[in-house]
Amino acid sequence: MIEVRNLSYRYPDGKEALRDISFKVADGECIGLIGPNGAGKSTLLLHLNGILPERLASDPAVFVGGQPITEANLPEIRRQVGLLFQDADDQLFCPTVLEDVAFGPSQFGLDGDRARQALAAVGLAGFEERVTPHLSRGEKRRVCLAGVLACDPKVLVLDEPTTDLDPRGKRELKDLLKRIPATKIIASHDLELVVELCGRSILIDRGTVVADGETIELLNNELLMLEHGLERPHILMHQHPHRRVPFLA
Ligand code: ADP
């Protein structure tokens, strides 16, 4: 469904953010993208629906359903790959909630009811006429997710989806994502979410892939986690106790 082939990227100010990244994601897979702050996770996700680079290269590095992302197929790629931005304020731009969520479906010629259904799915039925800038950060986050879901994408690309959500909001989001059959790529510091949802994870640091494999195996590797600014999540301590580093008195 997604293939990234030797992707490197440098921001216009010269900062190298991605170096020779390659991986494939099969249809229906749910992948966790983990790594410390500044690793390149958001930059990588912005490449998956053609937001970066602004001018698409003649030598494409990202393929969706086997098709390279080009200027010509960008609308179709955006229809297939729904991206939840890290910052809700980068995503919301209409005065009211319903207008915002309905914008994507109207662009793609989808049924107008999809927006209301998506709002209900994220627990915001009744918020249709609310003024977007007046919402709490957690509510904004849900509106953004509704906007993405309303377009019924084949691939969901989510950048820190649980940020700003309270514990109940996180639980509801996980349950919702489990029910959605789309291919998913989820960048998150919420490693419990990654354990629960993603069978496979990709660990990146300093713009390169450090490890790619079974989530439980990666996250249970305490040395690997510590080396890259992460921690073994508590959920694994109970379910998958590891015996690799005995405590020496
Ligand atoms: P992560 O999402 O893993 O925290 P990012 O993809 O946001 O990492 O950032 C990767 C690197 O690129 C960081 O060093 C960051 O400072 C840099 N970076 C991000 N956005 C820009 C930008 N617009 N211009 C220059 N450098 C950037």
Side-chain angles (χ1 to χ4, degrees):
M1 181 55 80
I2 296 271
E3 181 175 0
V4 175
R5 240 186 249 171
N6 309 111
L7 170 65
S8 296
Y9 182 72
R10 205 176 269 284
Y11 278 101
D13 69 357
K15 166 72 190 164
E16 185 186 47
L18 299 176
R19 191 154 31 97
D20 206 19
I21 300 248
S22 296
F23 61 89
K24 289 183 188 176
V25 180
D27 192 5
E29 255 192 302
C30 182
I31 305 282
L33 183 63
I34 57 174
N37 288 336
K41 302 181 294 297
S42 297
T43 306
L44 174 56
L45 297 189
L46 291 171
H47 279 82
L48 300 185
N49 75 349
I51 290 180
L52 287 176
E54 285 99 24
R55 281 195 325 230
L56 299 164
S58 55
D59 180 20
V62 182
F63 299 76
V64 176
Q67 297 298 312
I69 302 180
T70 62
E71 298 278 6
N73 69 10
L74 210 45
E76 178 53 23
I77 295 290
R78 299 244 165 100
R79 166 83 185 81
Q80 291 187 39
V81 183
L83 171 64
L84 180 76
F85 285 68
Q86 184 170 34
D87 188 342
D89 291 328
D90 289 342
Q91 192 137 9
L92 300 170
F93 60 95
C94 291
T96 68
V97 167
L98 186 61
E99 285 173 288
D100 218 299
V101 177
F103 181 80
S106 73
Q107 290 293 297
F108 298 130
L110 295 169
D111 178 0
D113 278 351
R114 295 200 59 86
R116 288 181 191 276
Q117 289 161 5
L119 277 169
V122 300
L124 291 184
F127 277 65
E128 288 78 0
E129 303 310 322
R130 294 283 302 273
V131 177
T132 318
H134 294 171
L135 300 178
S136 75
R137 295 201 63 77
E139 290 165 345
K140 284 184 182 174
R141 204 84 190 121
R142 288 167 187 247
V143 174
C144 293
L145 183 63
V148 174
L149 296 180
C151 299
D152 195 21
K154 284 189 186 157
V155 183
L156 269 178
V157 175
L158 308 176
D159 199 346
E160 297 288 354
T162 52
T163 305
D164 297 320
L165 297 185
D166 59 23
R168 183 175 49 195
K170 284 184 192 177
R171 167 54 39 217
E172 288 171 356
L173 176 75
K174 287 180 207 172
D175 292 343
L176 175 63
L177 292 178
K178 279 183 194 165
R179 291 198 300 273
I180 297 173
T183 305
K184 301 176 201 92
I185 301 173
I186 307 176
S188 189
H189 290 299
D190 182 346
L191 297 184
E192 309 220 333
L193 170 136
V194 174
V195 168
E196 210 174 315
L197 264 71
C198 310
R200 175 180 153 211
S201 287
I202 298 175
L203 167 60
I204 67 172
D205 197 358
R206 296 193 191 96
T208 61
V209 174
V210 176
D212 179 347
E214 217 184 302
T215 296
I216 292 183
E217 211 166 293
L218 255 66
L219 270 54
N220 226 359
N221 185 334
E222 194 154 36
L223 293 180
L224 182 73
M225 290 292 99
L226 291 177
E227 216 172 299
H228 298 287
L230 302 171
E231 275 181 349
R232 254 178 100 220
H234 284 288
I235 193 172
L236 288 184
M237 313 264 178
H238 307 297
Q239 294 177 0
H240 302 276
H242 78 148
R243 291 168 289 279
R244 293 191 52 247
V245 189
F247 180 71
L248 301 175

